[in-house]
Amino acid sequence: MKLIILGKPSSGKGTQAKLLAEKLNLKHISTGDLLREELKLKTPLAKKVESYMKAGSLVPDSWILELIKNNLPEDNYILDGFPRSLSQAESLAKITKINLVLDLFCEDDLIIKRTIRRRICPNCGAIYGSTLIPKVKDICDKCGSGLYQRPDDNEKTIKNRLQVYNNDTSPLIDYYKKRNIYSKVDGSLSIKEVQSLALKKITTIK
Ligand code: AMP
């Protein structure tokens, strides 16, 4: 099974992709996470992509496609944060056939609120925010590490990221509708509700 999880920043893509990957035994491939790992390891690629990520702009396709090629298995995966433009979707279509695109829809004002509140565990990758609040402030429930805020999770950058989504990523909705693999889920619901709706949509895959 090959899935894409689509949506604005903070629509819940990472949270839902992790849950679905665990439940359905899929590899979770997040281009954002792969890029943040490059930054952490201070690789040569990190120097090239850092300014784009800081600004909330799209990293050029050649580097993203290289990351995808190096991390894409034959089958059984969920893509999170890729593709983000028609050119990326076309490149992906040349190498594989996707079964379903789940689009977690949220209004912009909710996205801005969620982004500013989002905190991440640097150790286990758990994501906290408006719907999942850690028991102890800024401490991960799962592993006890201190949580951090992504440098691009601020009001100025999120506005640019939303603009990038509207200009470059939202045309993917029609692209995948035309290919009959598009499915919309209300991303404003609770984590559990979104997951159960997503799982229902997945059972419709032929
Ligand atoms: P994310 O964690 O998916 O929100 O991604 C964080 C940042 O990484 C984005 O704002 C972009 O700068 C970059 N990025 C992640 N995925 C892609 C992609 N598919 N194409 C271009 N840039 C990306």
Side-chain angles (χ1 to χ4, degrees), residues 125-138:
I127 305 167
Y128 296 87
S130 324
T131 40
L132 184 64
I133 299 162
K135 289 189 186 90
V136 181
K137 191 173 184 284
D138 290 338

PDB file of all heavy atoms in Angstrom, residues 125-138:
ATOM      1  N   GLY A 125      10.422  12.058  18.642  1.00  0.00           N
ATOM      2  CA  GLY A 125       9.632  12.621  17.535  1.00  0.00           C
ATOM      3  C   GLY A 125       8.164  12.858  17.878  1.00  0.00           C
ATOM      4  O   GLY A 125       7.393  13.273  17.004  1.00  0.00           O
ATOM      5  N   ALA A 126       7.741  12.591  19.132  1.00  0.00           N
ATOM      6  CA  ALA A 126       6.333  12.815  19.500  1.00  0.00           C
ATOM      7  C   ALA A 126       5.973  14.295  19.292  1.00  0.00           C
ATOM      8  O   ALA A 126       6.806  15.180  19.487  1.00  0.00           O
ATOM      9  CB  ALA A 126       6.103  12.414  20.943  1.00  0.00           C
ATOM     10  N   ILE A 127       4.721  14.511  18.869  1.00  0.00           N
ATOM     11  CA  ILE A 127       4.278  15.879  18.565  1.00  0.00           C
ATOM     12  C   ILE A 127       3.178  16.269  19.548  1.00  0.00           C
ATOM     13  O   ILE A 127       2.196  15.540  19.717  1.00  0.00           O
ATOM     14  CB  ILE A 127       3.742  15.966  17.119  1.00  0.00           C
ATOM     15  CG1 ILE A 127       4.794  15.464  16.125  1.00  0.00           C
ATOM     16  CG2 ILE A 127       3.335  17.410  16.775  1.00  0.00           C
ATOM     17  CD1 ILE A 127       4.268  15.219  14.713  1.00  0.00           C
ATOM     18  N   TYR A 128       3.335  17.427  20.193  1.00  0.00           N
ATOM     19  CA  TYR A 128       2.334  17.921  21.152  1.00  0.00           C
ATOM     20  C   TYR A 128       1.777  19.244  20.639  1.00  0.00           C
ATOM     21  O   TYR A 128       2.389  19.907  19.805  1.00  0.00           O
ATOM     22  CB  TYR A 128       2.974  18.131  22.529  1.00  0.00           C
ATOM     23  CG  TYR A 128       3.473  16.835  23.129  1.00  0.00           C
ATOM     24  CD1 TYR A 128       4.750  16.366  22.850  1.00  0.00           C
ATOM     25  CD2 TYR A 128       2.638  16.062  23.929  1.00  0.00           C
ATOM     26  CE1 TYR A 128       5.197  15.158  23.367  1.00  0.00           C
ATOM     27  CE2 TYR A 128       3.078  14.853  24.448  1.00  0.00           C
ATOM     28  CZ  TYR A 128       4.358  14.414  24.163  1.00  0.00           C
ATOM     29  OH  TYR A 128       4.780  13.209  24.672  1.00  0.00           O
ATOM     30  N   GLY A 129       0.595  19.622  21.166  1.00  0.00           N
ATOM     31  CA  GLY A 129       0.000  20.885  20.725  1.00  0.00           C
ATOM     32  C   GLY A 129      -1.342  21.081  21.359  1.00  0.00           C
ATOM     33  O   GLY A 129      -1.577  20.620  22.479  1.00  0.00           O
ATOM     34  N   SER A 130      -2.253  21.712  20.607  1.00  0.00           N
ATOM     35  CA  SER A 130      -3.565  22.053  21.161  1.00  0.00           C
ATOM     36  C   SER A 130      -4.358  20.819  21.566  1.00  0.00           C
ATOM     37  O   SER A 130      -5.066  20.828  22.567  1.00  0.00           O
ATOM     38  CB  SER A 130      -4.395  22.801  20.131  1.00  0.00           C
ATOM     39  OG  SER A 130      -3.597  23.637  19.377  1.00  0.00           O
ATOM     40  N   THR A 131      -4.228  19.716  20.798  1.00  0.00           N
ATOM     41  CA  THR A 131      -5.055  18.546  21.100  1.00  0.00           C
ATOM     42  C   THR A 131      -4.345  17.525  21.980  1.00  0.00           C
ATOM     43  O   THR A 131      -4.997  16.727  22.643  1.00  0.00           O
ATOM     44  CB  THR A 131      -5.552  17.860  19.804  1.00  0.00           C
ATOM     45  OG1 THR A 131      -4.482  17.871  18.875  1.00  0.00           O
ATOM     46  CG2 THR A 131      -6.749  18.576  19.220  1.00  0.00           C
ATOM     47  N   LEU A 132      -3.030  17.558  21.984  1.00  0.00           N
ATOM     48  CA  LEU A 132      -2.282  16.640  22.855  1.00  0.00           C
ATOM     49  C   LEU A 132      -1.321  17.465  23.705  1.00  0.00           C
ATOM     50  O   LEU A 132      -0.292  17.947  23.220  1.00  0.00           O
ATOM     51  CB  LEU A 132      -1.521  15.603  22.004  1.00  0.00           C
ATOM     52  CG  LEU A 132      -0.782  14.522  22.775  1.00  0.00           C
ATOM     53  CD1 LEU A 132      -1.760  13.657  23.560  1.00  0.00           C
ATOM     54  CD2 LEU A 132       0.027  13.634  21.831  1.00  0.00           C
ATOM     55  N   ILE A 133      -1.701  17.636  24.973  1.00  0.00           N
ATOM     56  CA  ILE A 133      -0.901  18.481  25.865  1.00  0.00           C
ATOM     57  C   ILE A 133      -0.065  17.569  26.759  1.00  0.00           C
ATOM     58  O   ILE A 133      -0.597  16.603  27.328  1.00  0.00           O
ATOM     59  CB  ILE A 133      -1.840  19.383  26.704  1.00  0.00           C
ATOM     60  CG1 ILE A 133      -2.636  20.287  25.750  1.00  0.00           C
ATOM     61  CG2 ILE A 133      -1.082  20.215  27.734  1.00  0.00           C
ATOM     62  CD1 ILE A 133      -3.880  20.906  26.356  1.00  0.00           C
ATOM     63  N   PRO A 134       1.258  17.816  26.893  1.00  0.00           N
ATOM     64  CA  PRO A 134       2.056  16.926  27.749  1.00  0.00           C
ATOM     65  C   PRO A 134       1.640  17.046  29.215  1.00  0.00           C
ATOM     66  O   PRO A 134       1.217  18.117  29.653  1.00  0.00           O
ATOM     67  CB  PRO A 134       3.491  17.421  27.537  1.00  0.00           C
ATOM     68  CG  PRO A 134       3.363  18.807  27.040  1.00  0.00           C
ATOM     69  CD  PRO A 134       2.057  18.904  26.314  1.00  0.00           C
ATOM     70  N   LYS A 135       1.765  15.935  29.968  1.00  0.00           N
ATOM     71  CA  LYS A 135       1.331  15.934  31.383  1.00  0.00           C
ATOM     72  C   LYS A 135       2.157  16.943  32.174  1.00  0.00           C
ATOM     73  O   LYS A 135       1.639  17.660  33.024  1.00  0.00           O
ATOM     74  CB  LYS A 135       1.475  14.531  31.978  1.00  0.00           C
ATOM     75  CG  LYS A 135       0.438  13.579  31.413  1.00  0.00           C
ATOM     76  CD  LYS A 135       0.435  12.235  32.170  1.00  0.00           C
ATOM     77  CE  LYS A 135      -0.488  11.251  31.498  1.00  0.00           C
ATOM     78  NZ  LYS A 135       0.227  10.444  30.453  1.00  0.00           N
ATOM     79  N   VAL A 136       3.477  16.968  31.904  1.00  0.00           N
ATOM     80  CA  VAL A 136       4.353  17.971  32.540  1.00  0.00           C
ATOM     81  C   VAL A 136       4.772  18.946  31.432  1.00  0.00           C
ATOM     82  O   VAL A 136       5.190  18.516  30.356  1.00  0.00           O
ATOM     83  CB  VAL A 136       5.617  17.303  33.146  1.00  0.00           C
ATOM     84  CG1 VAL A 136       6.509  18.341  33.811  1.00  0.00           C
ATOM     85  CG2 VAL A 136       5.214  16.193  34.109  1.00  0.00           C
ATOM     86  N   LYS A 137       4.641  20.257  31.728  1.00  0.00           N
ATOM     87  CA  LYS A 137       4.886  21.268  30.688  1.00  0.00           C
ATOM     88  C   LYS A 137       6.273  21.079  30.027  1.00  0.00           C
ATOM     89  O   LYS A 137       7.284  20.957  30.717  1.00  0.00           O
ATOM     90  CB  LYS A 137       4.795  22.667  31.332  1.00  0.00           C
ATOM     91  CG  LYS A 137       4.765  23.782  30.318  1.00  0.00           C
ATOM     92  CD  LYS A 137       4.507  25.125  30.993  1.00  0.00           C
ATOM     93  CE  LYS A 137       4.382  26.241  29.999  1.00  0.00           C
ATOM     94  NZ  LYS A 137       5.598  26.712  29.427  1.00  0.00           N
ATOM     95  N   ASP A 138       6.262  21.050  28.702  1.00  0.00           N
ATOM     96  CA  ASP A 138       7.482  20.964  27.885  1.00  0.00           C
ATOM     97  C   ASP A 138       8.331  19.711  28.115  1.00  0.00           C
ATOM     98  O   ASP A 138       9.529  19.700  27.818  1.00  0.00           O
ATOM     99  CB  ASP A 138       8.334  22.231  28.050  1.00  0.00           C
ATOM    100  CG  ASP A 138       7.669  23.435  27.398  1.00  0.00           C
ATOM    101  OD1 ASP A 138       6.824  23.221  26.502  1.00  0.00           O
ATOM    102  OD2 ASP A 138       7.968  24.570  27.787  1.00  0.00           O
TER     103      ASP A 138
END
